[in-house]
Amino acid sequence: MSSRTRHAARTHVGRVRSQNEDAHLENPDTGLYLVADGMGGHAAGEVASGIAADTLGSRLDSLPPDADSAADELSEAIREANSRILREAAEDPAREGMGTTVTALLTLRDGRSVVGHVGDSRAYRLRDGEFLRITRDHTWVQEQVERGGLTPEAARLHSASGVLTRALGVEADVEPDLIREEWREGDLYLLCSDGLTGMVPDRRIAELLRNGEDLEERADALVELANREGGRDNVTVVLVAPGEG
Ligand code: CA
């Protein structure tokens, strides 16, 4: 039995910030789903995350034929978004220093998928009840975790948890992580900004996703949970249940 890809997305300003600088995109026709978390004053953050979403959306305007070209195109699109952000920041002093994360999932109909990733937004996959993080945060605290200096939970709560080691809009070129995946019927992907993962431990996100059925309800519930736990940042979630159609 084959099913169609289903998705649900929510974004919320949170309970503290006055502006939402996150962006997201869902396109079942091209198989592209993404979250971008912008930074920079004077509303420049939302400009940067918007450029990332627009650039990836317009460059990846048709379903790639195979995983190799999907990875190449995703990488090129992320690099082009980086260049555009730098260019627009150079042209307008109010936008100087703007930047963004981007975590993009490209699902192909042949059961493959590719994740392109820069920054500390995340992609997870729930499969047969097992909740797996498939991206690695480009943060200073993540480096400390890998060196054994911090536990993941201490890193999550650390005052420097937001310090990025890689982002779009910082240097002339950017190297995205490209993660190749094979999806199965019944898998559920979560893309999210750190407004979710900074507020809620992975274990509770997993519980919530395992115990729901409806994608829209689960997307609502994730945002509610982030806000109940403090809502200190903008929160964006994109859920994707891949299918063949
Ligand atoms: Ca954020």
Side-chain angles (χ1 to χ4, degrees), residues 195-239:
L196 177 66
T197 51
M199 294 290 107
V200 184
D202 284 11
R203 161 181 66 75
R204 295 190 61 199
I205 298 172
E207 268 168 24
L208 190 154
L209 291 177
R210 280 190 201 108
N211 294 328
E213 262 308 309
D214 185 76
L215 288 188
E216 305 284 342
E217 283 174 14
R218 282 185 278 182
D220 281 333
L222 286 172
V223 169
E224 276 169 31
L225 185 55
N227 282 330
R228 209 158 56 229
E229 295 299 314
R232 285 198 296 276
D233 198 356
N234 310 143
V235 54
T236 301
V237 301
V238 176
L239 292 173

Side-chain angles (χ1 to χ4, degrees), residues 147-227:
R147 284 179 193 144
L150 281 177
T151 65
E153 186 60 6
R156 193 177 72 81
L157 301 170
H158 199 283
S159 59
S161 65
V163 176
L164 298 183
T165 52
R166 221 187 292 179
L168 272 63
V170 180
E171 291 181 36
D173 194 17
V174 69
E175 177 85 35
D177 287 349
L178 296 167
I179 304 123
R180 291 169 187 246
E181 281 273 304
E182 290 187 19
W183 61 261
R184 294 187 206 152
E185 199 82 50
D187 283 353
L188 180 63
Y189 285 100
L190 164 67
L191 310 178
C192 60
S193 61
D194 69 334
L196 177 66
T197 51
M199 294 290 107
V200 184
D202 284 11
R203 161 181 66 75
R204 295 190 61 199
I205 298 172
E207 268 168 24
L208 190 154
L209 291 177
R210 280 190 201 108
N211 294 328
E213 262 308 309
D214 185 76
L215 288 188
E216 305 284 342
E217 283 174 14
R218 282 185 278 182
D220 281 333
L222 286 172
V223 169
E224 276 169 31
L225 185 55
N227 282 330

Side-chain angles (χ1 to χ4, degrees), residues 78-152:
I78 290 171
R79 288 193 152 94
E80 185 182 324
N82 182 58
S83 304
R84 275 189 59 195
I85 290 164
L86 285 169
R87 215 158 46 233
E88 295 204 16
E91 283 166 6
D92 181 351
R95 293 178 179 175
E96 194 187 339
M98 71 175 174
T100 188
T101 72
V102 67
T103 301
L105 168 71
L106 200 47
T107 56
L108 308 182
R109 300 221 161 108
D110 66 357
R112 316 233 173 201
S113 55
V114 182
V115 174
H117 165 72
V118 175
D120 68 346
S121 301
R122 290 182 182 172
Y124 294 87
R125 187 191 66 215
L126 181 69
R127 172 179 291 169
D128 300 330
E130 189 198 353
F131 189 61
L132 180 76
R133 192 198 302 180
I134 56 184
T135 48
R136 175 180 170 272
D137 291 350
H138 298 139
T139 57
W140 179 83
V141 291
Q142 177 63 32
E143 291 180 354
Q144 306 316 304
V145 169
E146 288 164 13
R147 284 179 193 144
L150 281 177
T151 65

